[in-house]
Amino acid sequence: MNFFQALWNNFTVFTSETIQLSVLMSLSLIINFMLWLWRQQDRKHVIAILIIQAISLSFIILSKNLLALELKALSQGLQQFSSVIIGITFVRLFGLFLFRLVLPLCRINLLRIIEDIVEIIGYGAWLFICLHEVGVNLSSIVTTSAVITGVLALAMQDTLSNILSGLALQLDNSIKVGDWIGVDEAIGCVSEVSWRNTAIETRDWETIIIPNNVLMKAKVTVLGRRKNESLQLRRHIHFKTSYKHFPGDVIGIVQDAIQNGNITNVANYPLASCMLIDLMPGSAHYELRYWLTNIEKDTTSTDSNVRIRINSALQRAGIDFYEPRDIYLTHKDDAYEMRERELYFENRLKNLHQFEIFSILNDSELSVIAENLIYMPFAKGDFIIRQGEIANWLLIVENGSTDVFLKSSSGELQLINTTEGPCLLGEMGLMIGSPRSATVVAKSDVSAYRLDKKSFHALLIKRPELADEITKLLVARQYGIDNAQKSMDDDEAMALLLKQQQNAFLIQLNKFFGLG
């Protein structure tokens, strides 16, 4: 009879506790479900909480069965242990719910370290409640824990220093996740600021772990950050030229090449600037300053693109970089150098033979043209020709591709054609001096030669029949551009018929070159 009475009493208590536990577990399932739906990145935490709670519930059920078998001590120990674990999981669950779901929805984003502090306080409070329930004297624990804390503080000075430094870094917001920082020789993006250390990810796909106390003592440079300004970083490119080149010319050419260069990852504002920073024995030292728009991308690749633009722009202008006057021993004699020049000259003649405009010229006449060609390299993205400008030269593209754009009446540039070398560009400017009818941009690196009006003038005097061939080419080229312009601007009328255009061009050509 006593056994059945005890069993009934235990069943009554179990029923009451089961109702309370059912309410708590139902609430837990609801919160877990919400986190699962709206916080996919925290699903691993949800799974871990559910597994631990399921194990703890099975322990509680087991403890009730042990109590029925009069194993009271084992039952109470198992039940108290399960209660502690379930309470800890609830603290963690409500921490996730509050800091990662509710507050962000209210547009309140607190530091992760604050979430950790609140959860630690919750764990401690729950443990003290559990200890109080089993009759533990809390005052003695506090006294003992003070001694233990002092011993641990001495033994864990570095760890505590890292923790306090991490707390200071996050609270004063001096370094944030996503910042690009430089520490000693390491440069990278801050990916995490934890209790103990800070992790930065470099452009080389390396993650550097820096203890927080080291970071607090080091000189840290936050890259690209300036109050009320966009996130950009200034870069510096150095080069030298000889004194035979006027500094104003060098500065103007380089600035124009970069400011109007349409270079990926180079900012349009602030504008790139070039300056003479030093006068050295035998050379003038220049510095180009430009701004990166995306710090995450490899700075060396952008520097390389900028150097390519500087190199091609200075080559086109006939400006050489400074070369130290050292003496080198070589096996190349004068005959070798002459052969190299001959091969280079033969290559120019071969390129000229490819164009119909020069087909009526003999080799001696082509040689005159070849001797007067000026090498003009263009880097990818360089503006080769701008619509509306006046330039009395013809460009012979040896290799490379270009995009041809036409400006509509609304002022927008529209792509109308893509050319591949070998080809000719700028015939209208050379032959009749008219403004450029289209804008041409280097689609790839382009190797080209420039033929000026002065060099072509003598050839036209000797061979007047060349004018007919030229005007045919001009008509064909102009007719294609007029059609493209008409497709964009319907109010523009069609030009004259092809024959009329050719006659008109012939008159302009004779007048431009003074042929009568």
Side-chain angles (χ1 to χ4, degrees):
M1 184 66 181
N2 292 334
F3 171 77
F4 290 106
Q5 183 65 35
L7 185 62
W8 172 255
N9 292 335
N10 290 330
F11 174 75
T12 304
V13 174
F14 175 72
T15 303
S16 177
E17 292 177 351
T18 301
I19 294 174
Q20 297 175 5
L21 192 60
S22 298
V23 173
L24 289 176
M25 294 310 299
S26 298
L27 181 60
S28 172
L29 289 173
I30 293 173
I31 295 176
N32 276 314
F33 180 71
M34 295 172 67
L35 290 171
W36 184 271
L37 284 180
W38 293 310
R39 291 288 301 180
Q40 296 184 6
Q41 60 270 40
D42 291 322
R43 285 184 175 180
K44 60 180 181 180
H45 300 300
V46 173
I47 294 174
I49 289 172
L50 289 174
I51 292 174
I52 294 173
Q53 287 182 344
I55 295 173
S56 300
L57 285 174
S58 64
F59 284 167
I60 291 175
I61 295 172
L62 178 60
S63 69
K64 299 303 180 181
N65 293 329
L66 292 175
L67 187 62
L69 297 175
E70 298 185 352
L71 298 174
K72 186 175 181 180
L74 182 58
S75 174
Q76 288 180 346
L78 191 60
Q79 184 173 6
Q80 290 167 0
F81 173 76
S82 300
S83 298
V84 171
I85 298 302
I86 287 180
I88 290 175
T89 60
F90 268 97
V91 171
R92 177 60 174 156
L93 180 62
F94 283 110
L96 291 173
F97 178 70
L98 177 63
F99 287 95
R100 305 195 186 183
L101 188 60
V102 176
L103 292 180
L105 288 176
C106 299
R107 296 184 179 180
I108 301 175
N109 295 309
L110 299 178
L111 299 172
R112 185 61 55 86
I113 201 168
I114 296 178
E115 175 186 341
D116 296 339
I117 292 172
V118 172
E119 289 185 3
I120 289 173
I121 294 174
Y123 296 147
W126 176 246
L127 289 176
F128 271 92
I129 291 172
C130 292
L131 291 173
H132 178 74
E133 289 294 326
V134 297
V136 176
N137 187 357
L138 298 180
S139 60
S140 62
I141 291 178
V142 172
T143 304
T144 306
S145 63
V147 177
I148 295 174
T149 301
V151 174
L152 290 176
L154 292 174
M156 302 175 63
Q157 290 185 33
D158 289 341
T159 302
L160 290 174
S161 177
N162 286 328
I163 292 174
L164 293 175
S165 298
L167 181 61
L169 285 172
Q170 296 205 40
L171 291 179
D172 70 5
N173 209 27
S174 56
I175 296 176
K176 302 175 291 185
V177 173
D179 280 344
W180 279 83
I181 65 172
V183 184
D184 295 330
E185 296 182 357
I187 295 178
C189 179
V190 178
S191 59
E192 181 183 10
V193 180
S194 66
W195 286 84
R196 181 179 172 275
N197 53 57
T198 297
I200 64 173
E201 298 176 350
T202 70
R203 297 186 182 95
D204 297 326
W205 285 36
E206 298 172 339
T207 299
I208 301 176
I209 306 299
I210 304 175
N212 288 329
N213 63 342
V214 174
L215 199 63
M216 288 290 289
K217 297 175 183 177
K219 178 183 177 181
V220 180
T221 303
V222 181
L223 305 179
R225 185 199 292 179
R226 184 174 178 180
K227 189 175 182 180
N228 300 325
E229 295 289 347
S230 59
L231 187 64
Q232 295 184 162
L233 179 66
R234 189 164 73 173
R235 299 289 295 170
H236 307 264
I237 303 294
H238 295 264
F239 62 95
K240 300 176 184 178
T241 68
S242 65
Y243 284 119
K244 68 179 181 180
H245 306 297
F246 184 64
D249 294 337
V250 176
I251 291 172
I253 291 167
V254 171
Q255 286 188 166
D256 183 67
I258 305 305
Q259 292 177 359
N260 302 307
N262 191 26
I263 306 174
T264 303
N265 203 25
V266 174
N268 294 325
Y269 179 83
L271 290 173
S273 61
C274 182
M275 58 199 68
L276 178 63
I277 62 172
D278 199 4
L279 299 175
M280 306 175 68
S283 66
H285 188 181
Y286 296 88
E287 179 182 80
L288 173 77
R289 300 173 181 177
Y290 77 92
W291 296 85
L292 282 171
T293 58
N294 190 343
I295 299 178
E296 295 182 11
K297 293 188 176 180
D298 191 357
T299 55
T300 55
S301 63
T302 307
D303 287 348
S304 175
N305 291 334
V306 171
R307 290 189 181 99
I308 290 172
R309 292 297 181 87
I310 294 174
N311 179 58
S312 59
L314 292 180
Q315 281 196 51
R316 291 195 300 271
I319 298 176
D320 301 322
F321 291 107
Y322 169 70
E323 296 181 4
R325 299 300 181 182
D326 295 333
I327 298 175
Y328 298 93
L329 295 178
T330 178
H331 296 292
K332 300 178 180 179
D333 55 12
D334 292 340
Y336 177 87
E337 296 291 343
M338 183 171 292
R339 181 55 184 163
E340 286 288 307
R341 288 193 295 270
E342 289 176 356
L343 291 174
Y344 185 63
F345 189 73
E346 290 174 3
N347 185 57
R348 286 190 179 185
L349 287 176
K350 182 180 178 181
N351 289 332
L352 291 175
H353 275 296
Q354 300 178 77
F355 302 105
E356 184 179 1
I357 189 174
F358 302 120
S359 61
I360 62 174
L361 301 179
N362 55 41
D363 288 344
S364 61
E365 292 169 336
L366 285 175
S367 297
V368 174
I369 293 179
E371 289 176 354
N372 290 283
L373 293 180
I374 302 172
Y375 181 58
M376 299 284 286
F378 293 90
K380 180 181 178 181
D382 268 337
F383 281 82
I384 300 175
I385 293 174
R386 295 179 185 272
Q387 185 173 344
E389 70 178 0
I390 298 176
N392 302 327
W393 46 260
L394 167 71
L395 201 66
I396 302 171
V397 177
E398 183 179 29
N399 55 61
S401 58
T402 64
D403 285 332
V404 182
F405 296 90
L406 199 63
K407 184 182 292 185
S408 66
S409 58
S410 61
E412 296 181 357
L413 288 179
Q414 298 187 19
L415 180 66
I416 62 170
N417 192 20
T418 297
T419 66
E420 296 286 342
C423 64
L424 300 178
L425 297 173
E427 304 93 334
M428 300 291 288
L430 173 65
M431 304 305 175
I432 61 176
S434 63
R436 301 303 191 190
S437 57
T439 295
V440 181
V441 179
K443 188 177 181 181
S444 66
D445 290 343
V446 172
S447 177
Y449 295 93
R450 190 179 74 193
L451 178 60
D452 293 326
K453 173 187 175 183
K454 182 179 178 181
S455 303
F456 204 69
H457 186 200
L459 186 61
L460 284 176
I461 294 175
K462 292 181 180 180
R463 299 290 300 273
E465 63 270 24
L466 186 59
D468 290 331
E469 297 294 330
I470 293 172
T471 52
K472 289 179 182 178
L473 180 64
L474 296 181
V475 169
R477 181 66 61 89
Q478 186 66 28
Y479 184 73
I481 292 177
D482 282 345
N483 280 336
Q485 185 72 51
K486 185 177 184 299
S487 65
M488 293 187 295
D489 305 314
D490 292 334
D491 57 335
E492 292 284 337
M494 284 294 290
L496 299 174
L497 296 175
L498 293 180
K499 186 60 178 178
Q500 293 175 319
Q501 285 184 329
Q502 184 177 352
N503 292 334
F505 283 145
L506 187 58
I507 294 172
Q508 287 179 286
L509 186 148
N510 291 331
K511 182 179 179 181
F512 184 64
F513 283 96
L515 300 178

